[in-house]
């Protein structure tokens, strides 16, 4: 769940304008000018009052009202690259004013440690959100968006113990096996049907495979047809687009001009509810049936239709501290969507970068394949118990998450109370606190040859990587501290398993029709390859 790009905000605003007629534009400009003049006076007064007496971190000087918004938007750079350049000038803690919002961005291991570990409680909250995002989060009733407090604790405790613990993860080995078999067959079919008989789009296939696993785990419905899954996936993608950053997030006085976006977002929410609620009702019926069977001599339900447990089961009657009653149907939709969204794009993105590294470096592929042959052979598919016992694969996954963290920013944090400081600077309670992760995992003070991709650095007495950050921060692709990603174990398990199955099933090469591989990045929902990876594959001889 990465921070959104302000440049896309401007594109959204331009798109909105192009849809309008000229007369409407003239009217709109007059209204904007008048409103802007008023807003200017109000905002300048409010800003001065808000931050009087505070010492904010340094940052580029901005304009009244809009702050640095247009500097960022018209810089011609991706936001992630803009920040990388800005940190050279202002150092590892800086302030950007994006209209109404103040961003404090930190980008060093020391400051991440101060914010997430030493002062973890002080900065464990999330900032306020716009109305669209509040609709999709059922007013911040999700683990990722909840403000720090009793509600967040209940939801998070349930997600971790109910779904993401190591023991629960083990129980879903069958879901992974099914999804992996389908994943490999789909790639075989795609390669066979391609004009040259051997091309595969990596991200698309990886994304679908992870989506299938998470759908199984969320609803425990094992008989969904592929076309149905594709339809659900399409709706989930529309949701991600609907909650994207907009200009009015930063300049709320422009909100009336975004009424079309708002109406579209409400329609997508309706679609999301209409798509997921029938799955919830089916699971409820299965649970009732299971209960009846347990008190009668009838046989258990068909294991190919329903899993014995799902994430949904754990939230149906969830007691939330400080709240009466169980979650409503709409809230159940929100909670289920969170589990699926949290793990899909992040994991799939990592797979794409990983396969690009494998295609780019044949010796990495040879070593992975050799390890798979030694540990498993070609008579059965690799499973997750096997991957735990493969040191080179584990080192590869770590190096992958160091060099290509799927999100460059952690989710935005916020101070719980006024009066918090970082590096001696004030961090206002209404500021967004963002942690820029690649600056830590490529810091030459912490890493030897930081820009090189080299899994060997983690083997036998080489460098170490505690991805939780609890033993010191060197790379934190999952964040650290109280709000660390609860899907760390699941994410790394899925990445290792998918890479192993892909290398076991195929020999991977750069595609002859594509320009030489480059590792340029761009932001979609996560940080993906600028040019999506199309690889050439040759199926290996397997005897299963
Ligand atoms: C490679 C895979 C993944 C990566 C790189 C990743 C990364 C992250 C990051 C950077 C954060 C923000 C931490 C912070 O606020 O400081 C986060 C939060 C979160 N992630 Fe993940 N994630 C991954 C997989 C997953 C999976 C598989 C799930 C669940 C199925 C998940 C669910 C969540 C949730 C619910 C939060 C919010 C935690 C909170 O606010 O308490 N993630 N993740």
């Amino acid at each position: 769940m990465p921070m959104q790009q302000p440049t896309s905000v401007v594109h959204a605003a331009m798109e909105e304008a192009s849809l309008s007629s000229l007369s409407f534009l003239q009217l709109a400009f007059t209204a904007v000018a008048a409103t802007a003049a008023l807003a200017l006076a109000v905002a300048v007064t409010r800003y001065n009052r808000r931050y009087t007496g505070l010492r904010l971190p340094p940052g580029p000087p901005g304009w009244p009202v809009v702050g640095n918004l247009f500097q960022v938007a018209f810089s011609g750079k991706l936001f992630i690259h803009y920040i990388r350049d800005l940190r050279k000038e202002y150092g590892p803690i800086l302030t950007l004013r994006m209209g109404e919002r103040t961003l404090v961005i930190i980008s060093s291991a020391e400051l991440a440690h101060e914010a997430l570990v030493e002062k973890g409680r002080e900065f464990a909250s999330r900032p306020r959100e716009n109305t669209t995002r509040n609709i999709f989060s059922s007013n911040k009733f999700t683990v990722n968006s909840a403000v720090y407090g009793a509600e967040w604790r209940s939801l998070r405790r349930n997600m971790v113990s109910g779904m993401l613990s190591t023991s629960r993860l083990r129980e879903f080995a069958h879901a992974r096996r099914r999804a992996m078999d389908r994943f490999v067959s789909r790639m075989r079919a795609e390669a066979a049907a391609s004009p040259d008989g051997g091309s595969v789009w990596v991200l698309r296939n990886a994304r679908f495979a992870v989506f299938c696993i998470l759908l199984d785990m969320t609803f425990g419905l094992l008989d969904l047809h592929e076309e149905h899954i594709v339809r659900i996936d399409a709706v989930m993608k529309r949701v991600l687009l609907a909650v994207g950053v907009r200009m009015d997030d930063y300049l709320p006085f422009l909100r009336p001009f975004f009424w079309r976006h708002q109406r579209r977002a409400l329609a997508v929410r309706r679609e999301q509810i209409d798509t997921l609620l029938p799955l919830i009702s089916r699971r409820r019926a299965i649970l009732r049936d299971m209960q009846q069977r347990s008190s009668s001599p009838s046989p258990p339900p068909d294991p190919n239709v329903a899993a014995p447990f799902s994430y949904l089961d754990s939230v149906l009657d969830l007691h939330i501290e400080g709240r009466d009653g169980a979650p409503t149907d709409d809230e159940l939709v929100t909670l289920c969507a969170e589990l699926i969204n949290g793990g899909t794009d992040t994991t799939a993105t990592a797979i794409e970068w990983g396969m690009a590294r494998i295609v780019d470096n044949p010796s990495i592929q040879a070593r992975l394949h050799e390890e798979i042959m030694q540990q498993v052979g070609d008579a059965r598919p690799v499973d997750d118990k096997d991957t735990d016992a493969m040191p080179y694969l584990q080192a590869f996954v770590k190096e992958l998450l160091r060099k290509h963290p799927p999100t460059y920013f952690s989710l935005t944090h916020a101070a719980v109370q006024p009066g918090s400081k970082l590096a001696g600077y004030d961090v206002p309670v209404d500021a967004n606190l963002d942690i820029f992760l690649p600056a830590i995992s490529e810091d030459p003070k912490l890493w030897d040859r930081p820009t090189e991709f080299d899994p060997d650095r983690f083997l036998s007495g080489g460098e170490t990587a505690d991805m939780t950050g609890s033993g010191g921060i060197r790379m934190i692709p999952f964040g650290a501290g109280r709000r660390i990603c609860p899907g760390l174990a699941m994410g790394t398990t899925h990445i290792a398993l998918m890479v192993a199955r892909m290398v076991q099933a195929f020999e991977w090469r750069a595609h002859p029709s594509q320009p030489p591989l480059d590792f340029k990045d761009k932001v979609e929902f996560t940080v993906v390859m600028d040019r999506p990876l199309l690889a050439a594959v040759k199926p290996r001889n397997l005897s299963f």
Side-chain angles (χ1 to χ4, degrees):
M1 280 164 261
M3 211 173 78
Q4 298 276 346
Q5 286 232 76
T7 36
S8 63
V9 174
V10 173
H11 291 146
M14 284 154 123
E15 189 193 302
E16 188 79 0
S18 68
L19 294 171
S20 320
S21 70
L22 188 63
S23 57
F24 175 75
L25 270 181
Q26 284 165 337
L27 203 69
F29 277 132
T30 317
V32 171
T35 321
L38 189 67
L40 177 83
V42 173
V44 170
T45 322
R46 207 173 334 139
Y47 184 81
N48 289 342
R49 205 178 304 140
R50 228 176 359 157
Y51 297 144
T52 311
L54 296 188
R55 185 171 160 257
L56 298 186
W63 300 342
V65 182
V66 294
N68 308 109
L69 190 57
F70 294 145
Q71 282 146 274
V72 173
F74 296 116
S75 66
K77 295 179 198 164
L78 293 178
F79 188 60
I80 49 177
H81 300 158
Y82 187 81
I83 294 303
R84 194 170 261 166
D85 292 348
L86 217 54
R87 102 181 265 283
K88 288 183 199 140
E89 201 176 336
Y90 293 97
I93 179 162
L94 57 93
T95 306
L96 267 187
R97 268 206 319 109
M98 306 288 283
E100 273 257 300
R101 298 231 172 192
T102 300
L103 273 51
V104 172
I105 299 173
I106 58 177
S107 54
S108 74
E110 295 80 22
L111 284 168
H113 193 263
E114 184 180 345
L116 303 177
V117 182
E118 285 162 44
K119 298 181 178 166
R121 216 197 73 81
E122 281 183 57
F123 292 106
S125 207
R126 299 290 189 211
R128 77 194 141 80
E129 280 299 358
N130 70 20
T131 40
T132 309
R133 266 179 244 134
N134 283 339
I135 291 167
F136 283 94
S137 70
S138 299
N139 285 321
K140 290 182 157 282
F141 187 65
T142 59
V143 178
N144 77 83
S145 65
V147 295
Y148 186 62
E151 194 164 284
W152 168 75
R153 258 190 302 277
S154 298
L155 289 172
R156 176 153 175 135
R157 206 182 300 130
N158 176 68
M159 184 186 265
V160 171
S161 63
M163 207 63 222
L164 300 177
S165 65
T166 328
S167 54
R168 274 278 179 241
L169 208 55
R170 246 181 263 127
E171 285 176 40
F172 278 90
H174 61 276
R176 283 191 287 279
R177 171 72 200 264
R178 271 159 39 96
M180 288 304 103
D181 290 348
R182 178 148 55 180
F183 176 46
V184 171
S185 322
R186 271 172 69 103
M187 284 188 294
R188 272 206 197 103
E190 183 174 314
S194 63
D196 56 12
S199 311
V200 163
W201 290 103
V202 173
L203 184 61
R204 202 167 59 195
N205 281 293
R207 199 186 170 286
F208 189 72
V210 191
F211 187 74
C212 290
I213 303 178
L214 287 164
L215 206 60
D216 272 6
M217 297 179 86
T218 304
F219 297 106
L221 304 172
L222 308 182
D223 59 349
L224 300 178
H225 291 297
E226 195 152 319
E227 310 84 74
H228 190 175
I229 299 177
V230 170
R231 278 203 306 278
I232 301 171
D233 186 22
V235 175
M236 301 300 253
K237 277 191 203 132
R238 281 200 281 281
V239 171
L240 289 178
L241 290 173
V243 295
V245 174
R246 295 194 321 227
M247 184 70 103
D248 57 328
D249 288 346
Y250 300 122
L251 302 174
F253 64 89
L254 293 180
R255 195 146 295 152
F257 299 103
F258 284 83
W259 61 272
R260 253 201 222 99
H261 279 88
Q262 186 63 14
R263 201 177 56 183
R264 231 180 284 146
L266 284 172
V268 174
R269 172 64 175 169
R270 189 68 262 152
E271 201 186 2
Q272 187 194 36
I273 292 172
D274 291 347
T275 307
L276 298 189
L277 215 46
L279 305 181
I280 294 175
S281 306
R282 258 199 75 201
R283 182 70 196 177
R284 276 195 170 118
I286 287 170
L287 289 177
R288 273 196 301 274
D289 183 50
M290 280 181 184
Q291 225 165 18
Q292 277 162 10
R293 282 169 193 265
S294 67
S295 54
S296 75
S298 341
D302 183 347
N304 294 317
V305 171
F309 182 79
S310 77
Y311 178 56
L312 172 63
D313 304 1
S314 76
V315 288
L316 278 175
D317 298 312
L318 184 63
H319 173 71
I320 307 283
E321 264 179 83
R323 229 174 177 249
D324 288 332
T328 63
D329 280 357
D330 283 13
E331 287 168 345
L332 291 175
V333 165
T334 301
L335 292 171
C336 290
E338 175 181 34
L339 192 84
I340 300 171
N341 282 337
T344 303
D345 287 289
T346 42
T347 310
T349 303
I351 301 292
E352 185 183 44
W353 288 109
M355 295 320 288
R357 289 295 175 181
I358 283 173
V359 162
D360 190 50
N361 190 333
S363 86
I364 292 183
Q365 175 164 210
R367 286 178 68 184
L368 286 170
H369 188 244
E370 194 184 308
E371 194 172 61
I372 293 166
M373 286 302 106
Q374 272 169 10
Q375 182 71 25
V376 184
D378 54 13
R380 68 171 177 85
V382 182
D383 68 27
D384 25 283
K385 274 197 247 77
D386 302 318
T387 59
D388 287 346
M390 294 184 189
Y392 188 70
L393 174 66
Q394 294 300 332
F396 174 82
V397 173
K398 277 186 195 153
E399 181 64 344
L400 177 58
L401 292 167
R402 181 191 73 82
K403 191 71 190 67
H404 303 290
T407 74
Y408 280 9
F409 287 97
S410 70
L411 290 181
T412 302
H413 285 241
V416 173
Q417 285 168 352
S420 292
K421 285 183 187 287
L422 278 179
Y425 294 109
D426 293 299
V427 179
V429 74
D430 63 352
N432 288 12
L433 175 65
D434 291 299
I435 299 118
F436 187 60
L437 304 173
I440 299 171
S441 55
E442 287 195 25
D443 185 343
K445 291 205 290 298
L446 300 173
W447 297 94
D448 181 30
R449 298 163 292 115
T451 53
E452 251 174 65
F453 186 88
D454 177 17
D456 277 316
R457 70 171 73 244
F458 293 117
L459 287 175
S460 58
E463 299 189 89
T464 53
D466 164 18
M467 278 194 277
T468 66
S470 49
I473 288 182
R474 300 185 76 222
M475 58 180 277
I476 47 167
F478 297 91
R482 284 169 172 71
R483 307 265 339 203
I484 190 174
C485 173
L488 188 155
M490 188 196 277
T492 47
T493 300
H494 287 168
I495 296 168
L497 182 60
M498 288 172 79
V499 168
R501 287 290 303 259
M502 288 165 99
V503 172
Q504 187 187 33
F506 304 98
E507 200 184 317
W508 294 80
R509 277 175 296 110
H511 200 283
S513 75
Q514 297 286 299
L517 255 184
D518 66 36
F519 288 87
K520 262 207 221 139
D521 48 14
K522 72 170 180 209
V523 177
E524 276 181 2
F525 308 119
T526 46
V527 181
V528 294
M529 294 185 73
D530 187 35
R531 192 153 35 78
L533 180 63
L534 175 71
V537 293
K538 190 161 138 225
R540 297 188 199 264
N541 288 328
L542 299 173
S543 48
F544 59 88

